[in-house]
Amino acid sequence: MSGLIGAVNYQGKVQTLSLAPLRHRGPDAEGHWFSSDCCCWLGYTHLATQCCPSEGVQPVTSHCGRFTLVFDGKIFNHLQIRQGLRFQAWRGQCDSETLVEGLAQRGPSILLELRGMFSFAAYDCQKEQLLLARDRLGIKPLYLSWQSQGLFFASERRAFLCEENLSAQTFTQVLAFGHDFTPVDFPDPEFQGIISLPAGVVVRINRNRPHDPVRFWPPQPRPNWSPLPVHSLNSARTFLREQLQEVVDQHLPGDVPLACFLTSGLKSGVLAALACRQKQVQISTFTVLFPGSPPDESSHTRWMARHCGSDHHELVVNEEDALDWVQQALLALDVPTSDGINTFLISRAVANQGIKVALSGLGADELFGGYPSHRLLPRLQLLSHLPEAFRQRLLRRFSPLLAVKLSGLPHWDHWHLGLALRRCASDDAIYAAGAEPLQWPKSPSHRITQTWGQISWAELSGYTEPMLLRDADVMSMACGLELRVPFLDHLLVEIALRMPQRFQKPGKSLLRQACADLFPSGYLNRPSQGFAIPMAVWMRGPLKELSLARLEALQQSGWLDSAWIVQQWQAFEAGQLHWSRAWRLVVLGEFALRRQAS
């Protein structure tokens, strides 16, 4: 893992940027490179996770000298890709070298062969052209900023070292959803500010002709993701299980300790059990416990660890350290979000044990029905033909809370319904806060033919990528930990989206049936409690001073209505508002405080 940074300027000598803001992503090595025409500068910081002599030597240049690359992520099938390349005088076993030689021989079409998580920048000295790309699911980040000195890009926003004014729509989306959204289309060069490169997009930045963005996933022309030819439940279970084992095996590092976060739930247990079947790698499992949190699952996870044969650890974090880490997590944010605290605390605890690579079960709920959306959306879709006024009266009668979430939808489809179920602030609440009206984001294009897959797509594109993956990367890398997410291997995702939906049931039923034999008898009969921290208690107690200082800065900023901010905190203290909704105001206050200090 690493941090990448760079700039391109075709109007004059390119400006260099400091590597210091990204050293937490890569404290083990760093490097930089100027193109001979002085149009491009690339920088890199590296976190060593393999005993590879040439790893960390970036930027890396192709054997022919045409392409120079900086790369963040991991390509799990790169050794197989090498077998199809002409170049054979390899300097080491590193995926960055495979990628730069692949670009030199096949150009951007090499992206169609990659399985993994990645973002990269590669300069083509022959065409004086910069290539920027991001993996299909958006696991690894890449931010862009058009400025008068040219185009700047980096793994994190903080690397640009400039004051960024948050847009009015950012405040609205954070209030409504807890995060802002990634754009679907490549940003126009006239865009002012910092913006994310869309997932699954590669773009050529050219000197004398228009820039050329291409969406390589879903590939163009878009595929018709119709149901797979799987004709029985037993075949579906067997096929899914085989694919899961292959993906997990690919995600295992060869020569560094690997950790699995272990709770009593299904998805973490599946990863731990499948990883432990690969006997060449020692698997460590970690259960992180906090004083004052709900009853822990330690006895259950010990049972699973013994069954798997992992080297199990229970990490008990005292309250003093936990509170300190919450403050560190707040400082680590480079975009406002209500998520990520859990990931930071677990990552810090595990990284302190000398672990550099960990598997996360992120993605399983989205693909296999672990969220309420797969249960609720098919029922809500039945109401699509009713007049809106009648539909709202019906919803208010049976579920007033749901009626509020679904009010004001521009379209009654799976995308907008999926987003609405994640909604925490109605149009009236946004108006009361003094924020601008919500602009509903549009979905990346797809041709998924089944309802189940369309719901999963809404979860992946509207929740997982813009918040969970983004925050997981920032928070884990702030702790020096590389998170790998096997469930989001793009081929496995395509299988789940295309699996005949008669085999998919809410509650991760297909995943549960495919992997039931991996668990001790009776293990899955007990509902998982998940990982929880006592944030509400802390915010009313030892974190209250920190919270109030941020709320005061938010009031002074004028971004939101001051009286409304006070009312929200009072509702939280009275137990009438969930801590996460109060915390997003604290987060916005953190960014207001930074603006005051700049």
Side-chain angles (χ1 to χ4, degrees):
M1 288 296 122
S2 61
L4 67 86
I5 188 171
V8 63
N9 183 7
Y10 294 123
Q11 307 304 317
K13 184 176 180 179
V14 69
Q15 178 181 337
T16 65
L17 298 171
S18 172
L19 295 174
L22 293 178
R23 285 200 178 106
H24 64 279
R25 295 181 69 92
D28 299 320
E30 61 184 50
H32 63 91
W33 173 86
F34 267 108
S35 62
S36 59
D37 57 13
C38 295
C39 291
C40 182
W41 176 83
L42 302 175
Y44 175 81
T45 65
H46 173 67
L47 172 67
T49 60
Q50 293 186 26
C51 300
C52 179
S54 62
E55 188 173 20
V57 183
Q58 287 196 40
V60 58
T61 300
S62 63
H63 184 71
C64 64
R66 177 177 171 180
F67 281 88
T68 298
L69 169 87
V70 285
F71 166 81
D72 174 27
K74 185 67 181 175
I75 300 170
F76 299 112
N77 66 331
H78 81 97
L79 292 179
Q80 291 91 333
I81 292 173
R82 283 188 178 191
Q83 296 174 8
L85 298 177
R86 296 188 305 273
F87 182 78
Q88 297 297 325
W90 302 103
R91 293 172 291 226
Q93 298 290 313
C94 301
D95 48 2
S96 56
E97 187 185 6
T98 304
L99 178 56
V100 78
E101 296 298 340
L103 289 170
Q105 292 186 34
R106 300 184 188 173
S109 65
I110 194 70
L111 290 168
L112 299 178
E113 299 182 43
L114 305 184
R115 292 181 71 173
M117 50 184 188
F118 56 84
S119 62
F120 70 79
Y123 190 68
D124 183 342
C125 295
Q126 180 177 312
K127 292 186 176 182
E128 296 182 329
Q129 182 184 80
L130 177 71
L131 289 176
L132 299 174
R134 191 165 173 231
D135 66 66
R136 297 166 177 85
L137 275 300
I139 302 169
K140 301 306 295 183
L142 186 60
Y143 293 99
L144 315 174
S145 177
W146 297 96
Q147 301 180 18
S148 59
Q149 303 93 340
L151 174 65
F152 293 77
F153 47 91
S155 296
E156 293 186 15
R157 291 174 182 242
R158 69 181 73 246
F160 296 107
L161 293 177
C162 62
E163 180 183 335
E164 181 189 8
N165 292 322
L166 301 176
S167 71
Q169 191 57 209
T170 293
F171 300 121
T172 299
Q173 292 182 353
V174 170
L175 293 178
F177 300 104
H179 62 92
D180 63 354
F181 285 85
T182 303
V184 172
D185 302 314
F186 182 73
D188 189 276
E190 300 301 317
F191 178 84
Q192 299 295 313
I194 301 171
I195 197 166
S196 175
L197 180 69
V201 166
V202 58
V203 60
R204 298 176 177 92
I205 307 297
N206 299 298
R207 176 190 281 273
N208 296 317
R209 58 186 185 275
H211 307 315
D212 182 19
V214 174
R215 180 169 291 280
F216 66 91
W217 193 86
Q220 303 293 339
R222 298 190 299 274
N224 183 354
W225 278 345
S226 56
L228 292 169
V230 180
H231 303 298
S232 70
L233 179 56
N234 186 58
S235 297
R237 295 168 183 164
T238 302
F239 181 53
L240 176 59
R241 174 62 171 274
E242 291 171 349
Q243 298 303 309
L244 281 168
Q245 185 68 65
E246 177 186 334
V247 169
V248 170
D249 287 348
Q250 280 191 337
H251 280 67
L252 301 180
D255 49 14
V256 294
L258 172 77
C260 289
F261 302 152
L262 188 60
T263 69
S264 66
L266 174 67
K267 57 188 181 181
S268 67
V270 167
L271 293 182
L274 291 177
C276 286
R277 293 195 163 203
Q278 177 56 263
K279 301 301 183 183
Q280 286 76 20
V281 180
Q282 175 60 53
I283 306 299
S284 297
T285 49
F286 289 87
T287 299
V288 182
L289 309 171
F290 291 88
S293 59
D296 68 70
E297 305 172 289
S298 55
S299 61
H300 221 56
T301 54
R302 282 197 298 269
W303 183 18
M304 183 63 189
R306 286 194 302 269
H307 182 76
C308 292
S310 66
D311 179 20
H312 189 59
H313 306 265
E314 293 176 8
L315 305 180
V316 180
V317 181
N318 62 54
E319 185 173 83
E320 182 180 357
D321 285 341
L323 294 171
D324 181 54
W325 294 353
V326 169
Q327 296 179 60
Q328 291 179 33
L330 190 60
L331 295 175
L333 293 176
D334 69 345
V335 291
T337 174
S338 62
D339 187 60
I341 297 295
N342 284 7
T343 301
F344 187 95
L345 297 181
I346 298 173
S347 297
R348 174 63 71 198
V350 171
N352 284 353
Q353 306 304 306
I355 298 293
K356 289 191 175 183
V357 181
L359 298 186
S360 166
L362 207 159
D365 291 304
E366 294 84 336
L367 298 174
F368 299 104
Y371 294 135
S373 54
H374 283 92
R375 176 174 49 85
L376 293 176
L377 260 61
R379 301 175 187 176
L380 292 171
Q381 196 65 37
L382 297 175
L383 306 179
S384 61
H385 301 297
L386 296 178
E388 183 177 355
F390 180 71
R391 190 166 57 206
Q392 281 298 313
R393 287 199 299 271
L394 193 65
L395 285 171
R396 283 195 295 270
R397 177 178 178 182
F398 290 100
S399 177
L401 178 60
L402 190 59
V404 170
K405 285 180 175 289
L406 299 180
S407 63
L409 288 188
H411 303 285
W412 197 267
D413 56 18
H414 291 115
W415 171 253
H416 290 91
L417 287 170
L419 292 181
L421 291 181
R422 296 282 178 189
R423 194 177 181 187
C424 295
S426 65
D427 291 341
D428 290 342
I430 290 170
Y431 176 80
E436 75 169 27
L438 176 65
Q439 298 174 13
W440 289 84
K442 69 176 184 178
S443 167
S445 58
H446 67 85
R447 289 181 64 187
I448 302 170
T449 61
Q450 300 183 106
T451 296
W452 184 280
Q454 292 169 7
I455 297 170
S456 290
W457 185 260
E459 291 285 7
L460 290 168
S461 302
Y463 177 59
T464 308
E465 188 273 330
M467 183 162 77
L468 297 187
L469 285 174
R470 181 181 66 185
D471 295 348
D473 175 85
V474 170
M475 293 305 191
S476 61
M477 292 304 296
C479 301
L481 183 71
E482 172 190 316
L483 276 190
R484 299 184 180 181
V485 284
F487 285 111
L488 293 179
D489 171 83
H490 81 276
L491 294 183
L492 186 60
V493 169
E494 291 177 10
I495 288 169
L497 294 177
R498 298 182 59 198
M499 183 66 70
Q501 64 184 30
R502 65 183 180 275
F503 303 138
Q504 293 263 36
K505 304 295 181 185
K508 303 189 284 271
S509 173
L510 180 60
L511 180 64
R512 184 180 300 266
Q513 293 177 62
C515 299
D517 64 296
L518 297 175
F519 295 86
S521 177
Y523 184 86
L524 294 176
N525 294 342
R526 171 177 171 267
S528 171
Q529 296 175 343
F531 176 81
I533 53 177
M535 279 293 291
V537 175
W538 290 346
M539 288 172 66
R540 295 186 185 105
L543 290 178
K544 184 174 182 177
E545 183 178 350
L546 175 148
S547 300
L548 291 177
R550 269 66 180 177
L551 293 181
E552 181 180 357
L554 182 59
Q555 290 177 280
Q556 293 173 356
S557 71
W559 290 340
L560 299 174
D561 182 80
S562 180
W564 180 84
I565 295 170
V566 173
Q567 181 268 329
Q568 292 292 293
W569 181 260
Q570 290 174 343
F572 162 69
E573 288 200 307
Q576 300 167 355
L577 191 71
H578 192 268
W579 72 264
S580 63
R581 296 177 67 177
W583 182 252
R584 67 192 58 182
L585 299 180
V586 174
V587 168
L588 288 173
E590 167 65 24
F591 282 81
L593 202 60
R594 296 180 193 180
R595 187 183 182 189
Q596 291 177 4
S598 62

